[in-house]
Amino acid sequence: QNFCQTLKLFLFLIDVSRRPAWDLKIDQALLQVHNELVNENLTVYWLSDYCYQCLYQELISVPMNSIGTGPVDSQHAVTLIVNGSNSKQICRIHYHFGEFGNYSLMVKNLHNNILQFSCNIIINQNPFNSNLRMLLCASHYQEIKSDLLLIHSIELIRNWLYKKMNPRETDRLINSMCFMICFPLRRLALIIMVFVNYGGGKYWFFKHQSWNGLTVADLVFPWFVFIMGTSISLSLSSMLRRGCSKWKLLGKILWRSLLLFLIGVIIVNPNYCLGPLSWENLRIPGVLQRLSCTYFVVAVLELLFAKPVPDNSTLEIPCPALRDILPYWPQWLFMMALETVWLCLTFLLNVPGCPNGYLGPGGIGDFGNYPNCTGGAAAYIDHVLLGEKHIYQHPSSNVLYQTTVAFDPEGILGTINSVIMAFLGLQAGKILLFYKDQHRQIMLRFCIWSVVMGVISAVLTECSKDEGFIPVNKNLWSISYVTTLSSFGFVLLLLIYYLVDVKKVWSGSPFFFPGMNSILIYVGHEIFENYFPFKWKMQDAQSHSEHLAQNLIATSLWVFISYVLYRKRIFWKI
Ligand SMILES: *[C@@H]1O[C@H](CO)[C@@H](O)[C@H](O)[C@H]1NC(C)=O
Ligand SMILES: *[C@@H]1O[C@H](CO)[C@@H](O)[C@H](O)[C@H]1NC(C)=O
């Protein structure tokens, strides 16, 4: 019944969003340029506000005394430059067009003086407010999910109580910690990830940032990595307590990493769209591959130095403020060394044809000076070690910055920083273990870590999106991206810890089911991406609401599938 209601609502939304007849794409508006000058042929150039240090691109040419029509970007505000016959600038306008609006740009002489011009934008037809519909949809979706999940959260609490009856106290503590703190975050991240990967309704804030900066889509993957670190700490500690030998654990870690890597390369390879998988165009790096490498490095390092029984109270630390760092100095030293490698390679490696330490997007960015330098050293290392054909072909920079070279957002160099991210997550796990039930201490520590990471990010980015020493960048996994996201990560963990463990007001239920089968959901949603009912041929491929409907239904289906699997006790764990 609920499903029918939703469907009806979506159909209604699709109906409302009828667009003008002109062949506009998503996030475009129509611009008519009226050239009323009698002695000038006009050329209109445009530049998006989001394109940092970009070259102006030609939009429309309009001969004297006529009208030209063309589509213009409505995602962000743009600057238009109108040039006359011999490239002399006639005027310059900054304007935010609305999606599917119809606008006219009137260029005239002022007071019949042929040396003075006026440029005005007139709205012929109002744009659609697609963001408003988006909000409406989101609230409705939330309602339905809470209905369905209320029933099951009760069941969960029952299960949880049943677990509590078992006398194995320490194990229970560790398990419930992981159960209640790591998993909600992981589940949340997974659901957002599925939604975002399906296109997020093609809204810009659900798409990855073109180059520097953050959108919702850029938050998800690092949280996964962060929470993976926390899980490593909790699960290794629990297994060592149970008396697993280190060799056996090492074998387990190796096997899991290998499996994850192979699943990533063979099952979820984006280059399937180029035809059957063959060695020639196999993409080697990827999301699962990066998780696999990160897991391997961090878990092995932790295993090397982990003590079976952390002697918490007996240990006398000279400076209690550094309690989180000093006992683990070998690991910290290793991480510092890794980060030094990242910094040196990024800033000192000689990349042919590009300036040293180039962090920009190339293409039309940086005034078109380095069109083939997308990603600088990171890209160069991947090209040399893996080859151009074995990396990702469509980086998020290729629309806005019009880049042409291949660049892999999950490349080799960035993996160093994802290891650092997981290590910070592991640190959070150690805090949880060490202070056990001392709520105040745990929350204080999380708070301090978050502030420290925030300050480091502020210094590195100079609090600016594009102009800092090292901008926040998802494509490069720059170190400022890692510190910023781990700062968020500590806050999130603090919040979840507060809600779940201190106040006990939430059991993490809405996101429970996918979390139990995360690998299956990830792999499944990638494989069946283009199949009904996750995707269908759209009535109107250029409407946000139809994309949104499709992506929400696909995401809900995966939540439902994971619920069914959970009920049937089918789990695929590696
Ligand atoms: C846009 O507005 C102009 C002026 O009102 C009109 O002539 C034109 O047909 C409109 N275009 C579309 C596609 O609606
Ligand atoms: C960039 O690469 C393209 C295609 O490989 C090439 O045609 C162009 O000359 C290169 N540009 C520069 C500045 O090296």
Side-chain angles (χ1 to χ4, degrees), residues 32-264:
Q32 291 193 323
V33 181
H34 296 248
N35 181 0
E36 297 181 3
L37 309 180
V38 288
N39 53 354
E40 300 272 6
N41 298 326
L42 298 182
T43 314
V44 181
Y45 297 87
W46 78 284
L47 175 64
S48 168
D49 270 9
Y50 262 55
C51 206
Y52 177 64
Q53 294 192 331
C54 286
L55 293 177
Y56 277 86
Q57 301 294 304
E58 188 173 327
L59 190 67
I60 323 169
S61 292
V62 192
M64 55 187 82
N65 233 333
S66 61
I67 299 175
T69 305
V72 59
D73 181 57
S74 69
Q75 206 164 71
H76 305 289
V78 297
T79 306
L80 298 178
I81 287 187
V82 183
N83 277 359
S85 294
N86 33 30
S87 300
K88 112 183 128 179
Q89 183 171 324
I90 294 201
C91 60
R92 180 192 189 98
I93 304 168
H94 186 253
Y95 197 80
H96 196 157
F97 294 96
E99 191 177 23
F100 304 139
N102 179 347
Y103 301 84
S104 288
L105 170 61
M106 319 295 283
V107 185
K108 319 181 191 180
N109 284 125
L110 214 55
H111 326 295
N112 292 331
N113 176 348
I114 58 160
L115 292 176
Q116 284 186 311
F117 308 98
S118 88
C119 295
N120 285 310
I121 287 188
I122 297 168
I123 304 174
N124 302 322
Q125 199 181 334
N126 276 319
F128 290 100
N129 194 346
S130 49
N131 292 349
L132 201 75
R133 279 203 313 275
M134 164 88 202
L135 272 180
L136 190 71
C137 237
S139 62
H140 195 81
Y141 184 67
Q142 212 50 48
E143 234 169 69
I144 291 166
K145 266 181 40 178
S146 58
D147 272 5
L148 213 149
L149 292 162
L150 191 73
I151 309 160
H152 304 303
S153 52
I154 296 169
E155 191 181 55
L156 276 178
I157 292 168
R158 204 191 59 202
N159 282 355
W160 186 70
L161 279 176
Y162 171 72
K163 252 193 182 156
K164 253 186 96 163
M165 300 303 165
N166 276 337
R168 291 159 70 184
E169 261 306 303
T170 41
D171 234 32
R172 183 202 62 78
L173 188 77
I174 288 165
N175 282 344
S176 74
M177 244 178 212
C178 210
F179 185 77
M180 313 209 83
I181 299 165
C182 306
F183 291 165
L185 186 54
R186 203 163 80 184
R187 281 162 224 153
L188 180 71
L190 190 71
I191 292 183
I192 302 177
M193 181 126 114
V194 171
F195 178 62
V196 162
N197 276 2
Y198 275 147
K202 293 218 182 290
Y203 288 94
W204 66 268
F205 39 84
F206 284 136
K207 287 195 240 172
H208 288 296
Q209 192 61 267
S210 295
W211 197 251
N212 294 333
L214 286 176
T215 64
V216 177
D218 299 323
L219 304 178
V220 182
F221 186 26
W223 281 349
F224 246 83
V225 173
F226 186 81
I227 240 33
M228 188 176 74
T230 314
S231 312
I232 289 174
S233 152
L234 299 184
S235 68
L236 271 187
S237 148
S238 146
M239 282 192 276
L240 284 173
R241 266 163 207 263
R242 257 187 263 153
C244 280
S245 82
K246 284 199 176 182
W247 285 110
K248 212 176 135 200
L249 285 179
L250 184 68
K252 216 168 174 170
I253 292 169
L254 252 168
W255 175 242
R256 288 183 82 178
S257 313
L258 191 73
L259 218 56
L260 209 55
F261 197 94
L262 288 181
I263 291 173

Side-chain angles (χ1 to χ4, degrees), residues 369 371-372 404-405:
N369 286 331
N372 296 348
T404 50
V405 290

